[in-house]
Amino acid sequence: MSIDKVVIWKNRVFVAEYYDAKAVYAFDLDGHFLGKVGTHGRGPEEYLQLFDLFVDPRTERLNLVSRIDQKLFEYDLEDFHVIRIRHLPKAFDQLLPWQDGYIGYMDNYGQDKRNPYNLWILDSNLQIVDREIKIADGWESTSVGMQALSMYKDSLYYIAPTDFNIYRYADGKVEVAHRVDLGRNQLPEERISYEKYRKYIMQPYVAKIDAFLELPDYYVYQLLYQGQDKLCFFNKKTGEKTVCELRVYDKDYFLPFGTIINITPDYIITSLSASRIHNILKGTNGFVNYEEKYPEQIKRMREELPDIAEDDNPCLILWKFNKDE
C-alpha cells in the first residue's frame, strides 16, 4: 500500500490510496482503525476515480473527489455513510472549500481547449463563477506532482512548475505575493516546457517548489535538491532563512524523517515503510547497533510498536509544528 494524501480532522485521521486500493481508511490519532470510507466501482454510491479528499469545516463532512465521473461525495464523519453526491463542472484533480464556495484545480488537464485554465472558482452550488491561471505551454496533460494549492487566512496560494513566484489569489485577482531566490541552485531558465524540465532534473538544480505554506511567523517551502527533500523556513519578522535537512530524529524516537505526504498548518505528514521500522526495532541493521547508541529511544519504540512485520502497511508519522518557536 502507498499513501497519497492524509487529512487530519480533530481526532480523526483519513488516509487515501488513490491507485491500487482506491480507498480511504479512517483511524483515530492513536492509530486504531475505525473503518473504510467509500467504495470504488460503478454503483450509485460508488466512485470511479478517487483523486482528492478534504473535510469541509462549514458542514463538518468528509468530501471525496472522483475525477473521471466528475462527482463530489459527502460522507458523515462518525459512521462514514454517504450523505449526498454532487456533480462537478470539471474533472478536478483537487478541490478546496473557499469562502462561500470552492476552488477547483485541474493539474494541467486542459479539458476544454478553449479555456485551458488551472484554477476554477465555484459558488456554493458548484457553479463556475471565474477562472484563473492558464495552463503553461508545454505542460498540457502533464501532472506536476506538487502540492500546488494552500490557504492562509483570506488568501489562496498557487505554485507552478519551473516558476519561482508564489502567487496569491485574493479579492478576485491573482498577483505575485513574493519571489523565491535560490541563487546558483535555481534553474538557469524558468517557465520552460516539460521536455526541457526533464533535462534539468538530473542536474544540480532545484527544478520546482514542491509545496508552499504560510504560517503566522514563517513561510515554508518544500524542495527537492540532489534527490533529497529539504524544508526551507523564512521568518517573516526577522528575514532569517533556515534550510532543514530531513535526517534521523533521535530525541524521543529513533526514526528517519520519512517521505513527505503533505504539509498542513499543523503537521508535516510523512510515511515510512514497515520494513524500515522493523529493522530499527531489531536493534541493528548489521552495520549500526541502534540499541547500544539509542537505548531509550529503541525501548520507547518497542513499547508503542510491539509488532511491526516487514510486509506490513507503511507507518504514518505526524511531525507537529511548534507554534511557540
Side-chain angles (χ1 to χ4, degrees):
M1 174 184 174
S2 61
I3 298 174
D4 293 297
K5 187 171 182 179
V6 176
V7 169
I8 300 172
W9 178 260
K10 297 181 179 178
N11 63 340
R12 295 280 195 266
V13 180
F14 298 97
V15 179
E17 203 286 323
Y18 295 155
Y19 303 105
D20 294 325
K22 301 180 177 65
V24 176
Y25 302 98
F27 303 85
D28 64 21
L29 285 172
D30 293 321
H32 299 120
F33 179 63
L34 301 177
K36 182 169 173 264
V37 185
T39 304
H40 174 259
R42 296 182 177 274
E45 293 187 352
E46 298 174 341
Y47 49 77
L48 280 177
Q49 191 183 33
L50 180 61
F51 248 80
D52 192 27
L53 68 157
F54 63 92
V55 173
D56 192 332
R58 301 165 299 193
T59 61
E60 294 202 349
R61 295 174 183 174
L62 179 68
N63 289 249
L64 270 57
V65 176
S66 182
R67 188 173 196 181
I68 195 170
D69 49 343
Q70 297 182 200
K71 290 180 180 178
L72 181 65
F73 294 75
E74 297 182 10
Y75 296 88
D76 183 271
L77 284 171
E78 295 300 321
D79 62 11
F80 315 134
H81 76 274
V82 177
I83 296 174
R84 66 171 171 170
I85 302 171
R86 308 173 72 186
H87 177 72
L88 293 168
K90 294 283 182 181
F92 294 124
D93 178 271
Q94 186 180 0
L95 195 69
L96 290 177
W98 171 253
Q99 297 179 349
D100 295 329
Y102 301 86
I103 294 279
Y105 172 59
M106 298 298 290
D107 195 15
N108 294 329
Y109 175 38
Q111 187 177 14
D112 179 357
K113 300 300 181 183
R114 297 167 300 177
N115 289 287
Y117 287 87
N118 257 328
L119 293 188
W120 295 82
I121 295 84
L122 313 178
D123 63 18
S124 60
N125 296 315
L126 298 175
Q127 300 300 304
I128 295 170
V129 296
D130 199 2
R131 73 272 192 282
E132 296 286 351
I133 306 183
K134 279 193 171 183
I135 296 171
D137 292 341
W139 284 86
E140 297 86 352
S141 299
T142 303
S143 178
V144 296
M146 302 161 62
Q147 188 176 320
L149 303 182
S150 62
M151 293 187 294
Y152 181 73
K153 294 184 177 178
D154 295 327
S155 295
L156 176 108
Y157 290 103
Y158 173 86
I159 52 177
T162 77
D163 184 337
F164 294 89
N165 293 318
I166 305 296
Y167 296 93
R168 179 194 291 121
Y169 176 77
D171 300 322
K173 63 180 181 180
V174 174
E175 61 182 9
V176 176
H178 61 271
R179 179 169 173 77
V180 180
D181 184 359
L182 299 171
R184 64 182 182 180
N185 297 317
Q186 198 145 316
L187 284 178
E189 51 183 329
E190 298 181 29
R191 302 179 189 177
I192 54 179
S193 69
Y194 178 68
E195 289 303 314
K196 217 168 190 180
Y197 159 79
R198 290 178 61 190
K199 297 176 182 178
Y200 279 121
I201 57 177
M202 301 304 294
Q203 300 181 40
Y205 296 112
V206 174
K208 60 185 173 70
I209 300 168
D210 287 302
F212 167 77
L213 191 72
E214 181 173 5
L215 299 176
D217 296 323
Y218 291 91
Y219 293 133
V220 184
Y221 313 86
Q222 179 191 343
L223 310 172
L224 184 69
Y225 179 67
Q226 295 186 337
Q228 298 293 320
D229 275 319
K230 297 184 184 295
L231 289 179
C232 303
F233 293 83
F234 178 85
N235 190 309
K236 296 190 290 186
K237 295 179 180 178
T238 67
E240 181 182 3
K241 306 176 185 71
T242 304
V243 178
C244 299
E245 295 188 6
L246 309 179
R247 296 180 176 175
V248 170
Y249 176 83
D250 59 11
K251 181 179 178 183
D252 296 316
Y253 301 93
F254 183 70
L255 284 172
F257 194 81
T259 301
I260 295 176
I261 303 298
N262 52 300
I263 303 176
T264 76
D266 297 307
Y267 299 99
I268 302 170
I269 303 169
T270 69
S271 70
L272 199 62
S273 70
S275 62
R276 191 86 179 269
I277 296 284
H278 176 80
N279 286 335
I280 292 171
L281 292 175
K282 287 194 303 184
T284 178
N285 64 0
F287 300 97
V288 180
N289 190 324
Y290 304 131
E291 194 161 18
E292 183 179 284
K293 296 185 69 174
Y294 307 100
E296 293 182 9
Q297 290 86 347
I298 298 299
K299 179 176 181 293
R300 188 177 291 113
M301 287 180 64
R302 285 173 175 165
E303 290 171 352
E304 298 201 19
L305 300 169
D307 186 23
I308 298 290
E310 284 189 283
D311 58 353
D312 280 346
N313 286 325
C315 300
L316 272 186
I317 308 173
L318 308 182
W319 304 93
K320 191 171 179 62
F321 284 111
N322 188 338
K323 301 295 180 67
D324 297 325
E325 292 184 0

